Structures are given as C-alpha cells and as structure tokens.
Amino acid sequence: MGTLFSALDIARAGMLVSQVQLDVTGHNIANVNKEGYSRQRVEVTTRLPNYRPYGAIGRGPAISDIRRIRETFLDQIYREQNPALGRTETIANYFVRIQDIFQEPGDTGFSAHLSRFFDALQDFANNVEETPVRVALVQEGEALAQSLNEIARQVYLLESNTNEEIRNTIPEINSLIMRIAEMNKTIRDMEITGKSANDLRDDRDLLVDQLSKIVAITSRERDDGQINVLLGGVEIIGGTKYRTLSTVVDSSIDPTRPDFLSVVFSDNQEKAIISDGSLAGLLYIRDTELKRIKEQLNEIARTIAGSINSIHSQGRGLELYSGSIKSTISVSDINTPLSSNNLPYSINNGSFQLLAYDSSGNIATNLTVNISANSTSLTDIANQINANPFFNASIDSDGYLTITPSSGYSFRFANDTSGVLVAIGMNPFFTGYTASTISVNQDLLNNPRLISSGYSTNINETGDNTASLAMANLRSRRILSDSTQTADEYYQSMIVQIGINARANLDVLEMERSFINDFTRRRQEVSGVNLDEEVTNLILFQRAFEASARIIIVTDRMLDALLNII
C-alpha cells in the first residue's frame, strides 16, 4: 500500500526526471549554432504501479530514453537532391571563368581581331603593291593567331585546373569515407552497451551530408546502428569496412592531354561511377564543355588557316622564292599514301604545278606533279620533282618536304587541284592548324613581299590582286559548320551557346538551391533547436522540479507529525 516513504520515492523520481529534462534542454540550447545538431527530448514513462485490491498506486515517472528528433525520410530526400546542387554550383563557377576567357563582346576579343584581319585583307586587295599594307596584313594575321593562341592557352589552363581539382577532391572523399566508418564503429560499440549515441549520430549524419554533395550516394542503416553507403551501386562503406578512391592517368579521355585523370577504386582499379555531385561537375566541365570548346576553336583555326592557305599556296607575291621552301606539316609515313597519314586537310585526285623562272622573269619550266589520293606518297611527290632538272626535293627524318630551285632560278606554286599544298603546308599564310599552334608563316613576317596577291604567271603584273580578293572574300563565305556559317557566324554561335549553357545552368542552380533550402528548412523544423520552445521547456521543467520538491517538503512535515505522535 502507499506510504509516506513511497511518496518520497515518487517525488525523488519526479525530481530526477525534471533534472535530466533540464540538462537535455540546456544541451539543446548550448548547441543551437552547431551544424548538423538534432534537438533531443527525454522520453518519459511511468514506473510499474503497486497493485492493491482497491486499485493501482502509481510509483512516479521514469526515463525510458533520450531521443534525438530526426526525420529519416527528409534526410534521404535531402541527400538525393544535394549532389545535383554540388554539380550545378561547380559548373556555374567554371562557366563564369569560361566566359571571362573570351572577353566578348569587346575590342580585345577574337571577333574583333577576326574583323580587323579581314579589313586588312580588303585593304591588301585594294593596294597589293604597297609594302606598308602588306606589313599591316601580316601584323593583323599575327594578332588573330595570337588571339586564338591565348584563348587556347586559357582553355588549357582551365582544363589543368579542373584536372587538379579532381585530384584534390579524392583525398577529401576518402577522408569522409574513413571518418564515417570510424563513427560507425564508435556508435556500434556505444549503443551495444545501452548508451545513447545521439551526438555521434549527428556528427555521422553531417559527414554523410558533406559526402553526398561531392558524389551521389545512397545510405541505409543496419540493425546494429551502423550504416552502409553505396556509390554508383557499389558499396564503399559497410559498417567498419570501407573502400577508398584514387586517380589514375587515362590517356583515352583526350589523346592530346595524357595527364587527364580517371577516378577508380583503390583496391582493384575499377572505374568508379560518378553520376552526380561536385566531382561529376568537374568531370563534365573537363571532359564535355571544355572539350567541345577546344574542338570548336581548333575547327575555327583549321578552317581559317586551310581556306586562306588554299588560296595563298597557289598564288605569288611581288617576289618569288629563290631559296629553299619547307613544308610546315609533317607526314608520319613518307612511303604510304598521303590520304592514310591523318593529315589535317583532305587530298583529292588532281595535280599542282611548280613554275621555275630565270633571272629575267621568264618561265624556264612548268612542272606538273600528279596526285592520286589513295596511292601517292610524299616520296612519290619528291621523286616527281627530282625528275625535273630545275628543282631538287628532299625529305628529312621528321617527314617534312623541302623544295629548292636550281641556282639562278626562282619558283612558285600554281593550280593545285589536289589540296596537297595545303595538306602538307607548302607556301602557307598561316602555319599550324589548331588554336594553340596557328601563326603567320615566318617567311612572310621576314619578307611581306612574298605574300601571294595574284595568280598571273607573268611576274611583271604586280598589280594582279585576284588571290588577295579571293582571300578577302572568305569573310562572307560559309566555310564552317558544313558550309552553313561564315567564320564570324560560327564563332558567334559558339559564344552564344556558351552563354545559353551558362544561363541554363544558373536556372537549374536556382531551382536546386530552392529545393535544398526547402528541405533544409523542413529538416530544421523537425530537428533544429527553437530557442523560444527550449526556454519555455526550461520554465516548465523548473516548475515540475519545484513541485516534486514541494511533495518532499509536505511529506517531511507529515513524517514529523507522525513521529511526534509516536
């Protein structure tokens, strides 16, 4: 039956519960600004009552658990959305840097240099005999080439930067993986003894959140309190066991960049599936966006150089070549057909001519070199040239062809219907055929009088501007994108596409941030510490503690009265 001593026990239990509730509330308030902290609540139950014939007499409260308030469903949705935010944030940051490279619109961008180059070509066509106009042309050509060179250099540096970021992200991922596995062990060892691991679980959840922004992962909790984490369907954390990632050089990503890295599992070198997250954003920028931009820049350089050179190589300037001229594009195998040597420009069935002039300007010989696209090799071309006594042709060990006229003679090229002169780079205006290598032919920089201005075989017709007009007219010719766009239109389309992609990614970023902010707010509503609520609880638990203490005071007086009677 109930006694005064049982009343004291009930009051003691109430005070104990209130004190623990005050401690937990104080712990919540103290961690209000701790990232990832989940508020905790004391779960109170009643102790088993004393049963008597007239009913059950309660024995006061008891603490069953200290529970952290956490919604697993919201955590799961948050971690499913978090990788997309990491990816779009990374891409957005790099698009800003990509747009800064091109400086468009502006007076220093490639478009302005392209316009000035064609203006110089037009001036040249109108004044082919004026040396200052020729000097201005090679200067504008060099400025155009250097503009492409600089853009290509910046793209290269940005590729290197993303590659290095990929390398540096892997240790961060591995650190999170190892720390989560360590937390698994600590939580398991603590909870198996019946102790609460609420704060440790918060720390582990924060690590999982951080990992989910870098790579897309899925996680599930085991019966023993540990979690398993999967990356691309492959388990990277299984309780206390884990697998780390590493990077390996992978030349298959881009043959021009043998330093590019792939992400693999450290234990078996199997390629990891990185479908989302900031790491996926880095891989996308490096392997897709920058690769596409680089290919477009190279196509611009290749097409402009090829179109100009196809005209320039067949023309002649105010002076002819009296010394040796060397090709600027090497042939990997001089004894196999040129068409099988992966040259940057195609070769057709046709021919080209070599015209030798004596000191009086008369044509001494007109050599026709025949080309069969599928059978003629560089050696065959050299042999045809050497069969003529006015020329000597040689091929060096690197696959470059050198042509030298006989002493006392000068020469030029003409009527190339095969495309060989462009393909191997003979008498070009531009050397190189990529954005990083294009430049003006050094011979023209040294002597602008060699710039081809006409096609006439009569070298005394110095006013012939047919070649220069043809080059100037390339401004309006559709030479890019399957002959559907001019060079400027193609470049502007590329810039517009970069802007569209950047804008679209910003729109996605805004949406992803909205999603994450919404889920963060909902998580905070469930798990976050509300100071107003906690202060209210402090007062409530204080009053409960005081009430239990009051029971003790009343019971003590009753005991005193009873003892005095005795």
Side-chain angles (χ1 to χ4, degrees), residues 192-211:
I192 204 170
T193 63
K195 298 177 181 178
S196 172
N198 291 335
D199 293 335
L200 292 176
R201 282 177 170 268
D202 285 342
D203 291 340
R204 185 179 66 183
D205 283 337
L206 181 59
L207 295 177
V208 175
D209 287 347
Q210 292 171 354
L211 182 60

PDB file of all heavy atoms in Angstrom, residues 192-211:
ATOM      1  N   ILE A 192      25.708  -0.692 -28.216  1.00  0.00           N
ATOM      2  CA  ILE A 192      25.558  -2.099 -27.848  1.00  0.00           C
ATOM      3  C   ILE A 192      25.546  -2.279 -26.334  1.00  0.00           C
ATOM      4  O   ILE A 192      25.042  -3.280 -25.815  1.00  0.00           O
ATOM      5  CB  ILE A 192      26.682  -2.947 -28.492  1.00  0.00           C
ATOM      6  CG1 ILE A 192      26.228  -4.401 -28.629  1.00  0.00           C
ATOM      7  CG2 ILE A 192      27.975  -2.845 -27.694  1.00  0.00           C
ATOM      8  CD1 ILE A 192      27.166  -5.250 -29.456  1.00  0.00           C
ATOM      9  N   THR A 193      26.075  -1.286 -25.615  1.00  0.00           N
ATOM     10  CA  THR A 193      26.067  -1.319 -24.145  1.00  0.00           C
ATOM     11  C   THR A 193      24.863  -0.591 -23.570  1.00  0.00           C
ATOM     12  O   THR A 193      24.748  -0.447 -22.347  1.00  0.00           O
ATOM     13  CB  THR A 193      27.349  -0.669 -23.601  1.00  0.00           C
ATOM     14  OG1 THR A 193      27.380   0.719 -23.980  1.00  0.00           O
ATOM     15  CG2 THR A 193      28.591  -1.371 -24.120  1.00  0.00           C
ATOM     16  N   GLY A 194      23.994  -0.112 -24.442  1.00  0.00           N
ATOM     17  CA  GLY A 194      22.803   0.575 -23.986  1.00  0.00           C
ATOM     18  C   GLY A 194      22.961   2.070 -23.827  1.00  0.00           C
ATOM     19  O   GLY A 194      22.030   2.752 -23.384  1.00  0.00           O
ATOM     20  N   LYS A 195      24.109   2.609 -24.171  1.00  0.00           N
ATOM     21  CA  LYS A 195      24.336   4.044 -24.040  1.00  0.00           C
ATOM     22  C   LYS A 195      23.799   4.790 -25.269  1.00  0.00           C
ATOM     23  O   LYS A 195      23.695   4.235 -26.353  1.00  0.00           O
ATOM     24  CB  LYS A 195      25.824   4.343 -23.871  1.00  0.00           C
ATOM     25  CG  LYS A 195      26.444   3.737 -22.622  1.00  0.00           C
ATOM     26  CD  LYS A 195      27.935   4.024 -22.556  1.00  0.00           C
ATOM     27  CE  LYS A 195      28.578   3.398 -21.332  1.00  0.00           C
ATOM     28  NZ  LYS A 195      30.041   3.627 -21.289  1.00  0.00           N
ATOM     29  N   SER A 196      23.473   6.057 -25.045  1.00  0.00           N
ATOM     30  CA  SER A 196      22.971   6.893 -26.135  1.00  0.00           C
ATOM     31  C   SER A 196      24.137   7.438 -26.960  1.00  0.00           C
ATOM     32  O   SER A 196      25.152   7.866 -26.417  1.00  0.00           O
ATOM     33  CB  SER A 196      22.146   8.048 -25.569  1.00  0.00           C
ATOM     34  OG  SER A 196      21.810   8.955 -26.592  1.00  0.00           O
ATOM     35  N   ALA A 197      23.962   7.419 -28.298  1.00  0.00           N
ATOM     36  CA  ALA A 197      24.995   7.961 -29.200  1.00  0.00           C
ATOM     37  C   ALA A 197      24.396   9.042 -30.086  1.00  0.00           C
ATOM     38  O   ALA A 197      24.742   9.166 -31.263  1.00  0.00           O
ATOM     39  CB  ALA A 197      25.599   6.840 -30.039  1.00  0.00           C
ATOM     40  N   ASN A 198      23.494   9.837 -29.499  1.00  0.00           N
ATOM     41  CA  ASN A 198      22.797  10.858 -30.290  1.00  0.00           C
ATOM     42  C   ASN A 198      23.747  11.848 -30.944  1.00  0.00           C
ATOM     43  O   ASN A 198      23.642  12.146 -32.133  1.00  0.00           O
ATOM     44  CB  ASN A 198      21.802  11.614 -29.403  1.00  0.00           C
ATOM     45  CG  ASN A 198      20.633  10.739 -28.991  1.00  0.00           C
ATOM     46  OD1 ASN A 198      20.297   9.777 -29.668  1.00  0.00           O
ATOM     47  ND2 ASN A 198      20.013  11.065 -27.864  1.00  0.00           N
ATOM     48  N   ASP A 199      24.662  12.393 -30.156  1.00  0.00           N
ATOM     49  CA  ASP A 199      25.583  13.399 -30.703  1.00  0.00           C
ATOM     50  C   ASP A 199      26.496  12.792 -31.761  1.00  0.00           C
ATOM     51  O   ASP A 199      26.819  13.443 -32.766  1.00  0.00           O
ATOM     52  CB  ASP A 199      26.416  14.008 -29.576  1.00  0.00           C
ATOM     53  CG  ASP A 199      25.566  14.843 -28.620  1.00  0.00           C
ATOM     54  OD1 ASP A 199      24.508  15.331 -29.052  1.00  0.00           O
ATOM     55  OD2 ASP A 199      25.947  14.991 -27.444  1.00  0.00           O
ATOM     56  N   LEU A 200      26.920  11.551 -31.558  1.00  0.00           N
ATOM     57  CA  LEU A 200      27.761  10.884 -32.553  1.00  0.00           C
ATOM     58  C   LEU A 200      26.987  10.630 -33.836  1.00  0.00           C
ATOM     59  O   LEU A 200      27.530  10.747 -34.937  1.00  0.00           O
ATOM     60  CB  LEU A 200      28.295   9.568 -31.987  1.00  0.00           C
ATOM     61  CG  LEU A 200      29.299   9.687 -30.837  1.00  0.00           C
ATOM     62  CD1 LEU A 200      29.665   8.306 -30.303  1.00  0.00           C
ATOM     63  CD2 LEU A 200      30.555  10.423 -31.287  1.00  0.00           C
ATOM     64  N   ARG A 201      25.711  10.311 -33.703  1.00  0.00           N
ATOM     65  CA  ARG A 201      24.881  10.108 -34.894  1.00  0.00           C
ATOM     66  C   ARG A 201      24.734  11.419 -35.674  1.00  0.00           C
ATOM     67  O   ARG A 201      24.741  11.425 -36.901  1.00  0.00           O
ATOM     68  CB  ARG A 201      23.506   9.569 -34.497  1.00  0.00           C
ATOM     69  CG  ARG A 201      23.496   8.075 -34.167  1.00  0.00           C
ATOM     70  CD  ARG A 201      22.127   7.619 -33.700  1.00  0.00           C
ATOM     71  NE  ARG A 201      22.058   6.174 -33.602  1.00  0.00           N
ATOM     72  CZ  ARG A 201      21.644   5.364 -34.570  1.00  0.00           C
ATOM     73  NH1 ARG A 201      21.279   5.874 -35.733  1.00  0.00           N
ATOM     74  NH2 ARG A 201      21.608   4.055 -34.398  1.00  0.00           N
ATOM     75  N   ASP A 202      24.591  12.519 -34.939  1.00  0.00           N
ATOM     76  CA  ASP A 202      24.535  13.823 -35.615  1.00  0.00           C
ATOM     77  C   ASP A 202      25.812  14.081 -36.399  1.00  0.00           C
ATOM     78  O   ASP A 202      25.770  14.545 -37.551  1.00  0.00           O
ATOM     79  CB  ASP A 202      24.329  14.938 -34.590  1.00  0.00           C
ATOM     80  CG  ASP A 202      22.909  14.992 -34.050  1.00  0.00           C
ATOM     81  OD1 ASP A 202      22.015  14.406 -34.689  1.00  0.00           O
ATOM     82  OD2 ASP A 202      22.708  15.602 -32.985  1.00  0.00           O
ATOM     83  N   ASP A 203      26.952  13.800 -35.772  1.00  0.00           N
ATOM     84  CA  ASP A 203      28.238  14.024 -36.447  1.00  0.00           C
ATOM     85  C   ASP A 203      28.351  13.134 -37.682  1.00  0.00           C
ATOM     86  O   ASP A 203      28.846  13.577 -38.726  1.00  0.00           O
ATOM     87  CB  ASP A 203      29.395  13.737 -35.485  1.00  0.00           C
ATOM     88  CG  ASP A 203      29.481  14.764 -34.361  1.00  0.00           C
ATOM     89  OD1 ASP A 203      28.918  15.867 -34.528  1.00  0.00           O
ATOM     90  OD2 ASP A 203      30.100  14.460 -33.316  1.00  0.00           O
ATOM     91  N   ARG A 204      27.890  11.907 -37.583  1.00  0.00           N
ATOM     92  CA  ARG A 204      27.957  10.997 -38.735  1.00  0.00           C
ATOM     93  C   ARG A 204      27.034  11.465 -39.856  1.00  0.00           C
ATOM     94  O   ARG A 204      27.405  11.438 -41.042  1.00  0.00           O
ATOM     95  CB  ARG A 204      27.599   9.577 -38.309  1.00  0.00           C
ATOM     96  CG  ARG A 204      27.751   8.553 -39.425  1.00  0.00           C
ATOM     97  CD  ARG A 204      27.415   7.157 -38.942  1.00  0.00           C
ATOM     98  NE  ARG A 204      26.000   7.037 -38.592  1.00  0.00           N
ATOM     99  CZ  ARG A 204      25.446   5.931 -38.078  1.00  0.00           C
ATOM    100  NH1 ARG A 204      26.218   4.873 -37.842  1.00  0.00           N
ATOM    101  NH2 ARG A 204      24.169   5.900 -37.777  1.00  0.00           N
ATOM    102  N   ASP A 205      25.831  11.898 -39.479  1.00  0.00           N
ATOM    103  CA  ASP A 205      24.906  12.389 -40.500  1.00  0.00           C
ATOM    104  C   ASP A 205      25.457  13.608 -41.216  1.00  0.00           C
ATOM    105  O   ASP A 205      25.265  13.775 -42.431  1.00  0.00           O
ATOM    106  CB  ASP A 205      23.553  12.731 -39.867  1.00  0.00           C
ATOM    107  CG  ASP A 205      22.722  11.497 -39.569  1.00  0.00           C
ATOM    108  OD1 ASP A 205      22.967  10.464 -40.217  1.00  0.00           O
ATOM    109  OD2 ASP A 205      21.839  11.552 -38.691  1.00  0.00           O
ATOM    110  N   LEU A 206      26.161  14.458 -40.499  1.00  0.00           N
ATOM    111  CA  LEU A 206      26.769  15.636 -41.118  1.00  0.00           C
ATOM    112  C   LEU A 206      27.834  15.217 -42.129  1.00  0.00           C
ATOM    113  O   LEU A 206      27.932  15.787 -43.226  1.00  0.00           O
ATOM    114  CB  LEU A 206      27.373  16.537 -40.043  1.00  0.00           C
ATOM    115  CG  LEU A 206      28.040  17.830 -40.544  1.00  0.00           C
ATOM    116  CD1 LEU A 206      27.041  18.701 -41.303  1.00  0.00           C
ATOM    117  CD2 LEU A 206      28.652  18.610 -39.377  1.00  0.00           C
ATOM    118  N   LEU A 207      28.628  14.206 -41.785  1.00  0.00           N
ATOM    119  CA  LEU A 207      29.642  13.704 -42.714  1.00  0.00           C
ATOM    120  C   LEU A 207      28.993  13.117 -43.968  1.00  0.00           C
ATOM    121  O   LEU A 207      29.482  13.323 -45.080  1.00  0.00           O
ATOM    122  CB  LEU A 207      30.504  12.640 -42.023  1.00  0.00           C
ATOM    123  CG  LEU A 207      31.377  13.115 -40.854  1.00  0.00           C
ATOM    124  CD1 LEU A 207      32.103  11.923 -40.225  1.00  0.00           C
ATOM    125  CD2 LEU A 207      32.392  14.158 -41.310  1.00  0.00           C
ATOM    126  N   VAL A 208      27.891  12.401 -43.776  1.00  0.00           N
ATOM    127  CA  VAL A 208      27.187  11.819 -44.926  1.00  0.00           C
ATOM    128  C   VAL A 208      26.615  12.929 -45.800  1.00  0.00           C
ATOM    129  O   VAL A 208      26.657  12.848 -47.036  1.00  0.00           O
ATOM    130  CB  VAL A 208      26.071  10.863 -44.449  1.00  0.00           C
ATOM    131  CG1 VAL A 208      25.266  10.351 -45.646  1.00  0.00           C
ATOM    132  CG2 VAL A 208      26.664   9.679 -43.694  1.00  0.00           C
ATOM    133  N   ASP A 209      26.083  13.980 -45.170  1.00  0.00           N
ATOM    134  CA  ASP A 209      25.585  15.120 -45.947  1.00  0.00           C
ATOM    135  C   ASP A 209      26.704  15.737 -46.782  1.00  0.00           C
ATOM    136  O   ASP A 209      26.516  16.064 -47.958  1.00  0.00           O
ATOM    137  CB  ASP A 209      25.011  16.189 -45.011  1.00  0.00           C
ATOM    138  CG  ASP A 209      23.674  15.781 -44.395  1.00  0.00           C
ATOM    139  OD1 ASP A 209      23.087  14.793 -44.880  1.00  0.00           O
ATOM    140  OD2 ASP A 209      23.241  16.438 -43.432  1.00  0.00           O
ATOM    141  N   GLN A 210      27.870  15.918 -46.169  1.00  0.00           N
ATOM    142  CA  GLN A 210      29.002  16.514 -46.889  1.00  0.00           C
ATOM    143  C   GLN A 210      29.444  15.620 -48.038  1.00  0.00           C
ATOM    144  O   GLN A 210      29.752  16.116 -49.143  1.00  0.00           O
ATOM    145  CB  GLN A 210      30.162  16.741 -45.916  1.00  0.00           C
ATOM    146  CG  GLN A 210      29.877  17.816 -44.867  1.00  0.00           C
ATOM    147  CD  GLN A 210      30.947  17.881 -43.789  1.00  0.00           C
ATOM    148  OE1 GLN A 210      31.858  17.050 -43.743  1.00  0.00           O
ATOM    149  NE2 GLN A 210      30.838  18.864 -42.896  1.00  0.00           N
ATOM    150  N   LEU A 211      29.457  14.327 -47.812  1.00  0.00           N
ATOM    151  CA  LEU A 211      29.859  13.396 -48.872  1.00  0.00           C
ATOM    152  C   LEU A 211      28.847  13.404 -50.011  1.00  0.00           C
ATOM    153  O   LEU A 211      29.225  13.318 -51.188  1.00  0.00           O
ATOM    154  CB  LEU A 211      29.997  11.987 -48.292  1.00  0.00           C
ATOM    155  CG  LEU A 211      30.457  10.881 -49.256  1.00  0.00           C
ATOM    156  CD1 LEU A 211      31.835  11.202 -49.832  1.00  0.00           C
ATOM    157  CD2 LEU A 211      30.491   9.532 -48.545  1.00  0.00           C
TER     158      LEU A 211
END
